[in-house]
Structure formats: C-alpha cells, structure tokens
Amino acid sequence: TRVDMSMAEARREARIMEQLNHDNIVRYFASFAPLDKGTFCIVMEFAAGGTVANRVGDDLPHRVIVAWTRQLGDGVAYMHGKNVLHRDLKPQNVLLSDADSERAVIKLADLGLSKAVASASRITSIMASCAGTPFYASPQVAIGEPYTAQDDMWGIGCIVGELVAKKSLPAYSRALSFCNDTRALQCVKDDCARVTLLGGGFRSLLDADPSRRFSATNLIAHLDGAVPPRAMHAQHERTQE
C-alpha cells in the first residue's frame, strides 16, 4: 500500500477492507508482511483510471459528474451501513476503474484512517478522535470536534465541488482549511448550483451545520429525484458496457 502510511494504518486498512464488499469500494484480495518486517503489503483491485484528483480540471460532462456523485453516495452509504466511517474523503483517495470517464466506476480507497464504530447509533453521534486531511476538514473537525458520518458527507461535497469547478480547492484558497474561507466556499457552492442535474439541495453537503447536510442515503434519494430517469439510465448503460 502507500509508502507514507504507518504500519498501524496499513493493518487497520486491511482489516476494514476485508469486511467490505461493494462495487464502489476498492476490492481487497490479501495482505502480508514480508520477511524484513519493515513493510506491510495489501493486495487490492487495480484501478486503471487513476484518482479523481487527476480528473479535476477536465471538461467532464455533467452527467458523468452526477453519476460519480451517486456512486460516491452508494459507497459511503454502504460503509455507514456497516458502521464504518471513511474519515479522509478527498479526490486523491477516490479511484476510477477506467480511464474513459464515461465507463469509469468510482472506487473508494485509502481506508487507513477509517474506523468501525460499535453500533449504528454511534455512526451519527461522535467518535472520540479527529482525522483526515486538514484542508478538506469540515468546520466541526477543523475546530477539533469528534468525527461523525456527516463529516464524510462534507468530503463528498468537496470532491464534487472540485470536479464542477474544474479546479482543486487549494487553488481557491490559502486558508489552512477550505471551510474557513467563506468567499471560496460560496464560489464552489454557486458552481454546484449551476449544475442542474445535481439539484439545488446538493449544496447542503457544504453547509456549516452538519444537521443540514444530506446523509449518504438521502443524497442517493435526492439525486434519483433530481436527475431525469432517462439521463441516469443512459449513464448506467454506458457504465455496464
């Protein structure tokens, strides 16, 4: 796995990945520690399309962005249904199965910071730790509050915001955390609002109030209602080819 990941993070990623089986989460095959004992290797599905971060700046059709957004929602909803929080959602941690954007399927990856919680009731309450990449942190995580499922949803908002704006969020702001730059945040919200297929409610993912953000299941329902069925069906057919 990544060379910048600690041994503990790598082992935790393997344990988490072994429990998960979903089309929008990178597939786990095996893990092992070589004889030198200084490394830990995870064998996982190969994603030929690289990371979503590599596609920021591309002139992607809105139907593709919406399809990827729904797949992000599907993968995160599955994780939350298993009482697992990702805790570091950003473009660099989302893979694509194919270099062709019309055929690519989203694959959530880099689960080294993920954690399983004891019960479904805690998935929407608190975890006694903070995590993630500071720039992509939600307002709550940025001030040191414990991580919740709604912070994963903020991460989805940041990922989609970059795809819509065709620019990485750090290019918008010099703040330590994107959430602290009111001007940049509003610019990204406005960009997303102009994507009709996302529906007006999508902006809630970047709301400072976590109670106003969609859950993953609500995001899926929203997109299914906001996207014309014919457009979504056409994208699904291209993905399955």
Side-chain angles (χ1 to χ4, degrees):
T1 188
R2 300 195 327 257
V3 296
D4 62 337
M5 180 183 287
S6 72
M7 186 75 75
E9 287 175 338
R11 291 184 182 278
R12 180 165 60 241
E13 177 166 14
R15 288 195 300 269
I16 293 291
M17 291 183 70
E18 196 171 11
Q19 301 171 28
L20 305 177
N21 181 20
H22 190 275
D23 288 344
N24 298 123
I25 299 174
V26 68
R27 186 174 303 173
Y28 167 92
F29 293 121
S31 60
F32 59 93
L35 293 179
D36 62 18
K37 298 183 180 180
T39 57
F40 184 80
C41 301
I42 301 175
V43 182
M44 63 185 75
E45 175 183 10
F46 175 66
T51 72
V52 166
N54 294 332
R55 306 307 302 273
V56 172
D58 289 0
D59 190 18
L60 296 169
H62 286 173
R63 66 176 180 275
V64 169
I65 294 176
V66 173
W68 289 0
T69 302
R70 196 191 189 289
Q71 291 171 28
L72 283 168
D74 279 342
V76 171
Y78 173 82
M79 291 183 70
H80 290 178
K82 294 287 187 180
N83 302 330
V84 175
L85 302 178
H86 189 286
R87 304 206 306 161
D88 196 20
L89 283 172
K90 58 184 180 181
Q92 293 85 347
N93 289 347
V94 181
L95 305 180
L96 295 167
S97 65
D98 198 294
D100 183 344
S101 62
E102 298 279 0
R103 299 173 62 89
V105 175
I106 288 290
K107 303 285 182 177
L108 298 178
D110 285 315
L111 306 182
L113 293 179
S114 298
K115 280 196 176 181
V117 295
S119 66
S121 63
R122 291 201 65 197
I123 199 79
T124 53
S125 59
I126 65 170
M127 291 185 64
S129 64
C130 297
T133 303
F135 188 83
Y136 291 93
S138 71
Q140 290 68 45
V141 173
I143 61 173
E145 293 185 10
Y147 202 98
T148 76
Q150 294 308 91
D151 299 309
D152 275 348
M153 302 312 297
W154 175 276
I156 292 179
C158 289
I159 293 167
V160 178
E162 289 200 359
L163 291 172
V164 170
K166 305 176 187 177
K167 184 164 61 174
S168 68
L169 294 185
Y172 266 105
S173 172
R174 294 183 180 179
L176 293 177
S177 293
F178 173 63
C179 65
N180 291 330
D181 191 326
T182 304
R183 180 196 59 80
L185 181 58
Q186 189 60 50
C187 285
V188 172
K189 284 184 177 182
D190 290 344
D191 285 339
C192 289
R194 285 190 281 271
V195 180
T196 306
L197 293 177
L198 283 175
F202 178 82
R203 289 159 50 106
S204 77
L205 294 186
L206 293 175
D207 198 299
D209 182 352
S211 69
R212 298 182 62 180
R213 292 175 210 148
F214 284 141
S215 67
T217 53
N218 286 344
L219 172 62
I220 294 167
H222 169 74
L223 291 175
D224 286 350
V227 178
R230 185 178 303 172
M232 182 60 75
H233 179 65
Q235 174 62 22
H236 177 74
E237 287 184 334
R238 280 189 289 272
T239 300
Q240 296 301 315
E241 289 177 355

mmCIF file of all heavy atoms in Angstrom, residues 80-121:
data_model
loop_
_atom_site.group_PDB
_atom_site.id
_atom_site.type_symbol
_atom_site.label_atom_id
_atom_site.label_comp_id
_atom_site.label_asym_id
_atom_site.label_seq_id
_atom_site.Cartn_x
_atom_site.Cartn_y
_atom_site.Cartn_z
ATOM 1 N N HIS A 80 -21.326 3.346 5.838
ATOM 2 C CA HIS A 80 -22.064 3.789 7.023
ATOM 3 C C HIS A 80 -23.034 2.712 7.490
ATOM 4 O O HIS A 80 -23.266 2.562 8.696
ATOM 5 C CB HIS A 80 -22.801 5.095 6.729
ATOM 6 C CG HIS A 80 -21.885 6.267 6.580
ATOM 7 N ND1 HIS A 80 -22.346 7.534 6.264
ATOM 8 C CD2 HIS A 80 -20.535 6.375 6.701
ATOM 9 C CE1 HIS A 80 -21.304 8.371 6.211
ATOM 10 N NE2 HIS A 80 -20.207 7.687 6.450
ATOM 11 N N GLY A 81 -23.613 1.966 6.549
ATOM 12 C CA GLY A 81 -24.492 0.863 6.917
ATOM 13 C C GLY A 81 -23.767 -0.248 7.645
ATOM 14 O O GLY A 81 -24.367 -1.013 8.402
ATOM 15 N N LYS A 82 -22.456 -0.330 7.427
ATOM 16 C CA LYS A 82 -21.603 -1.300 8.129
ATOM 17 C C LYS A 82 -20.958 -0.676 9.365
ATOM 18 O O LYS A 82 -20.071 -1.277 9.984
ATOM 19 C CB LYS A 82 -20.502 -1.792 7.193
ATOM 20 C CG LYS A 82 -20.989 -2.614 6.009
ATOM 21 C CD LYS A 82 -21.431 -3.994 6.446
ATOM 22 C CE LYS A 82 -21.751 -4.865 5.247
ATOM 23 N NZ LYS A 82 -22.179 -6.221 5.647
ATOM 24 N N ASN A 83 -21.417 0.519 9.723
ATOM 25 C CA ASN A 83 -20.890 1.248 10.879
ATOM 26 C C ASN A 83 -19.407 1.593 10.718
ATOM 27 O O ASN A 83 -18.630 1.559 11.679
ATOM 28 C CB ASN A 83 -21.114 0.465 12.181
ATOM 29 C CG ASN A 83 -22.567 0.170 12.426
ATOM 30 O OD1 ASN A 83 -23.433 0.929 12.024
ATOM 31 N ND2 ASN A 83 -22.848 -0.954 13.069
ATOM 32 N N VAL A 84 -19.019 1.931 9.496
ATOM 33 C CA VAL A 84 -17.638 2.324 9.210
ATOM 34 C C VAL A 84 -17.637 3.740 8.652
ATOM 35 O O VAL A 84 -18.424 4.069 7.763
ATOM 36 C CB VAL A 84 -16.979 1.373 8.183
ATOM 37 C CG1 VAL A 84 -15.588 1.871 7.798
ATOM 38 C CG2 VAL A 84 -16.904 -0.049 8.746
ATOM 39 N N LEU A 85 -16.752 4.578 9.182
ATOM 40 C CA LEU A 85 -16.560 5.939 8.679
ATOM 41 C C LEU A 85 -15.252 5.979 7.884
ATOM 42 O O LEU A 85 -14.250 5.405 8.311
ATOM 43 C CB LEU A 85 -16.481 6.941 9.831
ATOM 44 C CG LEU A 85 -17.690 6.993 10.780
ATOM 45 C CD1 LEU A 85 -17.422 8.010 11.891
ATOM 46 C CD2 LEU A 85 -18.953 7.341 10.033
ATOM 47 N N HIS A 86 -15.246 6.661 6.742
ATOM 48 C CA HIS A 86 -14.024 6.749 5.943
ATOM 49 C C HIS A 86 -13.011 7.676 6.593
ATOM 50 O O HIS A 86 -11.844 7.338 6.740
ATOM 51 C CB HIS A 86 -14.346 7.225 4.521
ATOM 52 C CG HIS A 86 -13.170 7.140 3.598
ATOM 53 N ND1 HIS A 86 -12.101 8.022 3.668
ATOM 54 C CD2 HIS A 86 -12.879 6.290 2.588
ATOM 55 C CE1 HIS A 86 -11.210 7.706 2.746
ATOM 56 N NE2 HIS A 86 -11.664 6.666 2.068
ATOM 57 N N ARG A 87 -13.426 8.881 6.936
ATOM 58 C CA ARG A 87 -12.655 9.867 7.693
ATOM 59 C C ARG A 87 -11.555 10.580 6.899
ATOM 60 O O ARG A 87 -10.813 11.380 7.486
ATOM 61 C CB ARG A 87 -12.044 9.259 8.960
ATOM 62 C CG ARG A 87 -13.054 8.604 9.885
ATOM 63 C CD ARG A 87 -12.621 8.571 11.318
ATOM 64 N NE ARG A 87 -11.315 7.962 11.478
ATOM 65 C CZ ARG A 87 -10.547 8.121 12.553
ATOM 66 N NH1 ARG A 87 -10.964 8.880 13.550
ATOM 67 N NH2 ARG A 87 -9.385 7.538 12.630
ATOM 68 N N ASP A 88 -11.437 10.337 5.604
ATOM 69 C CA ASP A 88 -10.452 11.094 4.825
ATOM 70 C C ASP A 88 -10.872 11.145 3.360
ATOM 71 O O ASP A 88 -10.075 10.847 2.461
ATOM 72 C CB ASP A 88 -9.061 10.463 4.961
ATOM 73 C CG ASP A 88 -7.940 11.402 4.498
ATOM 74 O OD1 ASP A 88 -8.184 12.632 4.437
ATOM 75 O OD2 ASP A 88 -6.836 10.914 4.210
ATOM 76 N N LEU A 89 -12.112 11.555 3.116
ATOM 77 C CA LEU A 89 -12.603 11.637 1.744
ATOM 78 C C LEU A 89 -12.072 12.890 1.062
ATOM 79 O O LEU A 89 -12.296 14.008 1.517
ATOM 80 C CB LEU A 89 -14.135 11.633 1.728
ATOM 81 C CG LEU A 89 -14.789 10.273 1.954
ATOM 82 C CD1 LEU A 89 -16.295 10.421 2.116
ATOM 83 C CD2 LEU A 89 -14.474 9.318 0.810
ATOM 84 N N LYS A 90 -11.369 12.679 -0.038
ATOM 85 C CA LYS A 90 -10.825 13.756 -0.853
ATOM 86 C C LYS A 90 -10.540 13.161 -2.223
ATOM 87 O O LYS A 90 -10.498 11.927 -2.387
ATOM 88 C CB LYS A 90 -9.558 14.336 -0.231
ATOM 89 C CG LYS A 90 -8.441 13.317 -0.004
ATOM 90 C CD LYS A 90 -7.263 13.950 0.710
ATOM 91 C CE LYS A 90 -6.153 12.915 0.942
ATOM 92 N NZ LYS A 90 -5.001 13.500 1.653
ATOM 93 N N PRO A 91 -10.336 13.978 -3.259
ATOM 94 C CA PRO A 91 -10.148 13.456 -4.618
ATOM 95 C C PRO A 91 -9.002 12.449 -4.743
ATOM 96 O O PRO A 91 -9.083 11.500 -5.518
ATOM 97 C CB PRO A 91 -9.887 14.711 -5.445
ATOM 98 C CG PRO A 91 -10.601 15.791 -4.705
ATOM 99 C CD PRO A 91 -10.422 15.455 -3.255
ATOM 100 N N GLN A 92 -7.941 12.643 -3.965
ATOM 101 C CA GLN A 92 -6.786 11.749 -4.044
ATOM 102 C C GLN A 92 -7.102 10.350 -3.512
ATOM 103 O O GLN A 92 -6.365 9.401 -3.797
ATOM 104 C CB GLN A 92 -5.614 12.335 -3.254
ATOM 105 C CG GLN A 92 -5.047 13.622 -3.839
ATOM 106 C CD GLN A 92 -5.804 14.866 -3.397
ATOM 107 O OE1 GLN A 92 -6.904 14.789 -2.845
ATOM 108 N NE2 GLN A 92 -5.214 16.028 -3.628
ATOM 109 N N ASN A 93 -8.162 10.215 -2.729
ATOM 110 C CA ASN A 93 -8.500 8.930 -2.125
ATOM 111 C C ASN A 93 -9.676 8.243 -2.805
ATOM 112 O O ASN A 93 -10.271 7.316 -2.249
ATOM 113 C CB ASN A 93 -8.808 9.107 -0.630
ATOM 114 C CG ASN A 93 -7.560 9.414 0.171
ATOM 115 O OD1 ASN A 93 -6.443 9.269 -0.321
ATOM 116 N ND2 ASN A 93 -7.738 9.856 1.406
ATOM 117 N N VAL A 94 -10.010 8.707 -4.002
ATOM 118 C CA VAL A 94 -11.078 8.082 -4.793
ATOM 119 C C VAL A 94 -10.491 7.658 -6.129
ATOM 120 O O VAL A 94 -9.926 8.483 -6.857
ATOM 121 C CB VAL A 94 -12.262 9.047 -5.005
ATOM 122 C CG1 VAL A 94 -13.365 8.357 -5.804
ATOM 123 C CG2 VAL A 94 -12.809 9.521 -3.662
ATOM 124 N N LEU A 95 -10.600 6.376 -6.445
ATOM 125 C CA LEU A 95 -10.037 5.825 -7.670
ATOM 126 C C LEU A 95 -11.109 5.658 -8.735
ATOM 127 O O LEU A 95 -12.310 5.652 -8.430
ATOM 128 C CB LEU A 95 -9.375 4.474 -7.389
ATOM 129 C CG LEU A 95 -8.305 4.445 -6.287
ATOM 130 C CD1 LEU A 95 -7.747 3.032 -6.138
ATOM 131 C CD2 LEU A 95 -7.195 5.441 -6.569
ATOM 132 N N LEU A 96 -10.654 5.491 -9.977
ATOM 133 C CA LEU A 96 -11.546 5.253 -11.106
ATOM 134 C C LEU A 96 -11.149 3.948 -11.782
ATOM 135 O O LEU A 96 -9.967 3.690 -12.015
ATOM 136 C CB LEU A 96 -11.462 6.410 -12.107
ATOM 137 C CG LEU A 96 -11.953 7.764 -11.591
ATOM 138 C CD1 LEU A 96 -11.533 8.875 -12.552
ATOM 139 C CD2 LEU A 96 -13.467 7.751 -11.425
ATOM 140 N N SER A 97 -12.138 3.128 -12.108
ATOM 141 C CA SER A 97 -11.863 1.811 -12.673
ATOM 142 C C SER A 97 -11.342 1.872 -14.101
ATOM 143 O O SER A 97 -10.707 0.932 -14.580
ATOM 144 C CB SER A 97 -13.131 0.956 -12.647
ATOM 145 O OG SER A 97 -14.119 1.513 -13.510
ATOM 146 N N ASP A 98 -11.597 2.973 -14.799
ATOM 147 C CA ASP A 98 -11.277 3.067 -16.226
ATOM 148 C C ASP A 98 -10.851 4.489 -16.557
ATOM 149 O O ASP A 98 -11.353 5.445 -15.959
ATOM 150 C CB ASP A 98 -12.507 2.669 -17.058
ATOM 151 C CG ASP A 98 -12.176 2.326 -18.497
ATOM 152 O OD1 ASP A 98 -11.753 3.235 -19.247
ATOM 153 O OD2 ASP A 98 -12.345 1.163 -18.882
ATOM 154 N N ALA A 99 -9.942 4.630 -17.512
ATOM 155 C CA ALA A 99 -9.509 5.966 -17.927
ATOM 156 C C ALA A 99 -10.581 6.701 -18.712
ATOM 157 O O ALA A 99 -10.559 7.931 -18.792
ATOM 158 C CB ALA A 99 -8.234 5.856 -18.764
ATOM 159 N N ASP A 100 -11.526 5.976 -19.274
ATOM 160 C CA ASP A 100 -12.647 6.562 -20.007
ATOM 161 C C ASP A 100 -13.690 7.022 -18.997
ATOM 162 O O ASP A 100 -14.297 6.197 -18.301
ATOM 163 C CB ASP A 100 -13.241 5.528 -20.956
ATOM 164 C CG ASP A 100 -14.377 6.075 -21.813
ATOM 165 O OD1 ASP A 100 -14.913 7.149 -21.488
ATOM 166 O OD2 ASP A 100 -14.759 5.409 -22.794
ATOM 167 N N SER A 101 -13.904 8.321 -18.904
ATOM 168 C CA SER A 101 -14.813 8.851 -17.881
ATOM 169 C C SER A 101 -16.228 8.319 -18.033
ATOM 170 O O SER A 101 -16.958 8.180 -17.043
ATOM 171 C CB SER A 101 -14.822 10.386 -17.927
ATOM 172 O OG SER A 101 -15.287 10.856 -19.179
ATOM 173 N N GLU A 102 -16.639 8.005 -19.255
ATOM 174 C CA GLU A 102 -17.992 7.506 -19.485
ATOM 175 C C GLU A 102 -18.169 6.080 -18.952
ATOM 176 O O GLU A 102 -19.278 5.655 -18.650
ATOM 177 C CB GLU A 102 -18.335 7.533 -20.979
ATOM 178 C CG GLU A 102 -18.320 8.916 -21.606
ATOM 179 C CD GLU A 102 -19.604 9.684 -21.350
ATOM 180 O OE1 GLU A 102 -20.503 9.150 -20.682
ATOM 181 O OE2 GLU A 102 -19.718 10.821 -21.850
ATOM 182 N N ARG A 103 -17.063 5.345 -18.855
ATOM 183 C CA ARG A 103 -17.128 3.952 -18.408
ATOM 184 C C ARG A 103 -16.645 3.771 -16.976
ATOM 185 O O ARG A 103 -16.889 2.736 -16.356
ATOM 186 C CB ARG A 103 -16.283 3.070 -19.331
ATOM 187 C CG ARG A 103 -16.723 3.065 -20.791
ATOM 188 C CD ARG A 103 -15.732 2.292 -21.654
ATOM 189 N NE ARG A 103 -15.652 0.892 -21.235
ATOM 190 C CZ ARG A 103 -16.434 -0.072 -21.715
ATOM 191 N NH1 ARG A 103 -17.365 0.209 -22.614
ATOM 192 N NH2 ARG A 103 -16.305 -1.305 -21.307
ATOM 193 N N ALA A 104 -15.947 4.763 -16.451
ATOM 194 C CA ALA A 104 -15.301 4.635 -15.147
ATOM 195 C C ALA A 104 -16.307 4.455 -14.007
ATOM 196 O O ALA A 104 -17.371 5.059 -14.005
ATOM 197 C CB ALA A 104 -14.432 5.859 -14.877
ATOM 198 N N VAL A 105 -15.915 3.616 -13.060
ATOM 199 C CA VAL A 105 -16.695 3.400 -11.845
ATOM 200 C C VAL A 105 -15.869 3.891 -10.660
ATOM 201 O O VAL A 105 -14.664 3.631 -10.572
ATOM 202 C CB VAL A 105 -17.042 1.902 -11.671
ATOM 203 C CG1 VAL A 105 -17.743 1.659 -10.336
ATOM 204 C CG2 VAL A 105 -17.907 1.415 -12.834
ATOM 205 N N ILE A 106 -16.518 4.608 -9.776
ATOM 206 C CA ILE A 106 -15.869 5.141 -8.573
ATOM 207 C C ILE A 106 -15.474 4.002 -7.635
ATOM 208 O O ILE A 106 -16.235 3.060 -7.401
ATOM 209 C CB ILE A 106 -16.825 6.098 -7.831
ATOM 210 C CG1 ILE A 106 -16.988 7.408 -8.604
ATOM 211 C CG2 ILE A 106 -16.371 6.360 -6.387
ATOM 212 C CD1 ILE A 106 -15.766 8.294 -8.614
ATOM 213 N N LYS A 107 -14.252 4.105 -7.061
ATOM 214 C CA LYS A 107 -13.760 3.140 -6.090
ATOM 215 C C LYS A 107 -13.171 3.892 -4.895
ATOM 216 O O LYS A 107 -12.122 4.520 -5.006
ATOM 217 C CB LYS A 107 -12.679 2.247 -6.710
ATOM 218 C CG LYS A 107 -13.096 1.477 -7.959
ATOM 219 C CD LYS A 107 -13.989 0.302 -7.614
ATOM 220 C CE LYS A 107 -14.355 -0.494 -8.859
ATOM 221 N NZ LYS A 107 -15.170 -1.688 -8.526
ATOM 222 N N LEU A 108 -13.848 3.859 -3.767
ATOM 223 C CA LEU A 108 -13.306 4.481 -2.554
ATOM 224 C C LEU A 108 -12.075 3.707 -2.109
ATOM 225 O O LEU A 108 -12.076 2.475 -2.085
ATOM 226 C CB LEU A 108 -14.346 4.478 -1.436
ATOM 227 C CG LEU A 108 -15.635 5.254 -1.704
ATOM 228 C CD1 LEU A 108 -16.584 5.103 -0.520
ATOM 229 C CD2 LEU A 108 -15.348 6.713 -1.964
ATOM 230 N N ALA A 109 -11.022 4.434 -1.752
ATOM 231 C CA ALA A 109 -9.762 3.790 -1.380
ATOM 232 C C ALA A 109 -9.122 4.516 -0.209
ATOM 233 O O ALA A 109 -9.710 5.428 0.362
ATOM 234 C CB ALA A 109 -8.820 3.771 -2.581
ATOM 235 N N ASP A 110 -7.909 4.085 0.125
ATOM 236 C CA ASP A 110 -7.142 4.676 1.225
ATOM 237 C C ASP A 110 -7.960 4.710 2.510
ATOM 238 O O ASP A 110 -8.300 5.776 3.024
ATOM 239 C CB ASP A 110 -6.642 6.068 0.853
ATOM 240 C CG ASP A 110 -5.471 6.007 -0.119
ATOM 241 O OD1 ASP A 110 -4.564 5.189 0.111
ATOM 242 O OD2 ASP A 110 -5.471 6.759 -1.100
ATOM 243 N N LEU A 111 -8.245 3.539 3.026
ATOM 244 C CA LEU A 111 -9.064 3.424 4.230
ATOM 245 C C LEU A 111 -8.226 3.339 5.502
ATOM 246 O O LEU A 111 -8.705 2.900 6.534
ATOM 247 C CB LEU A 111 -9.959 2.175 4.123
ATOM 248 C CG LEU A 111 -10.820 2.080 2.864
ATOM 249 C CD1 LEU A 111 -11.699 0.826 2.911
ATOM 250 C CD2 LEU A 111 -11.689 3.304 2.697
ATOM 251 N N GLY A 112 -6.977 3.777 5.435
ATOM 252 C CA GLY A 112 -6.096 3.682 6.591
ATOM 253 C C GLY A 112 -6.552 4.485 7.788
ATOM 254 O O GLY A 112 -6.197 4.177 8.925
ATOM 255 N N LEU A 113 -7.343 5.527 7.553
ATOM 256 C CA LEU A 113 -7.859 6.327 8.667
ATOM 257 C C LEU A 113 -9.291 5.946 9.036
ATOM 258 O O LEU A 113 -9.878 6.529 9.946
ATOM 259 C CB LEU A 113 -7.800 7.825 8.327
ATOM 260 C CG LEU A 113 -6.397 8.424 8.199
ATOM 261 C CD1 LEU A 113 -6.482 9.905 7.843
ATOM 262 C CD2 LEU A 113 -5.604 8.239 9.483
ATOM 263 N N SER A 114 -9.851 4.971 8.313
ATOM 264 C CA SER A 114 -11.233 4.565 8.595
ATOM 265 C C SER A 114 -11.321 3.888 9.949
ATOM 266 O O SER A 114 -10.362 3.308 10.450
ATOM 267 C CB SER A 114 -11.726 3.587 7.516
ATOM 268 O OG SER A 114 -11.740 4.197 6.254
ATOM 269 N N LYS A 115 -12.510 3.964 10.525
ATOM 270 C CA LYS A 115 -12.744 3.282 11.797
ATOM 271 C C LYS A 115 -14.152 2.715 11.821
ATOM 272 O O LYS A 115 -15.088 3.318 11.289
ATOM 273 C CB LYS A 115 -12.556 4.233 12.983
ATOM 274 C CG LYS A 115 -11.103 4.449 13.380
ATOM 275 C CD LYS A 115 -10.995 5.071 14.758
ATOM 276 C CE LYS A 115 -9.546 5.191 15.198
ATOM 277 N NZ LYS A 115 -9.421 5.773 16.557
ATOM 278 N N ALA A 116 -14.263 1.543 12.441
ATOM 279 C CA ALA A 116 -15.580 0.952 12.667
ATOM 280 C C ALA A 116 -16.076 1.406 14.038
ATOM 281 O O ALA A 116 -15.302 1.521 14.987
ATOM 282 C CB ALA A 116 -15.488 -0.569 12.623
ATOM 283 N N VAL A 117 -17.360 1.706 14.129
ATOM 284 C CA VAL A 117 -17.944 2.092 15.407
ATOM 285 C C VAL A 117 -18.761 0.934 15.943
ATOM 286 O O VAL A 117 -19.103 -0.003 15.224
ATOM 287 C CB VAL A 117 -18.823 3.357 15.275
ATOM 288 C CG1 VAL A 117 -17.958 4.538 14.877
ATOM 289 C CG2 VAL A 117 -19.922 3.165 14.257
ATOM 290 N N ALA A 118 -19.067 0.999 17.217
ATOM 291 C CA ALA A 118 -19.671 -0.148 17.881
ATOM 292 C C ALA A 118 -21.086 -0.439 17.436
ATOM 293 O O ALA A 118 -21.532 -1.579 17.453
ATOM 294 C CB ALA A 118 -19.622 0.067 19.403
ATOM 295 N N SER A 119 -21.839 0.597 17.053
ATOM 296 C CA SER A 119 -23.238 0.387 16.720
ATOM 297 C C SER A 119 -23.728 1.442 15.760
ATOM 298 O O SER A 119 -23.099 2.483 15.590
ATOM 299 C CB SER A 119 -24.099 0.429 17.999
ATOM 300 O OG SER A 119 -24.066 1.727 18.559
ATOM 301 N N ALA A 120 -24.878 1.174 15.155
ATOM 302 C CA ALA A 120 -25.453 2.144 14.212
ATOM 303 C C ALA A 120 -25.781 3.455 14.902
ATOM 304 O O ALA A 120 -25.724 4.520 14.294
ATOM 305 C CB ALA A 120 -26.705 1.551 13.575
ATOM 306 N N SER A 121 -26.119 3.401 16.181
ATOM 307 C CA SER A 121 -26.482 4.637 16.885
ATOM 308 C C SER A 121 -25.302 5.583 16.994
ATOM 309 O O SER A 121 -25.465 6.797 17.054
ATOM 310 C CB SER A 121 -27.013 4.312 18.289
ATOM 311 O OG SER A 121 -26.002 3.699 19.073
#
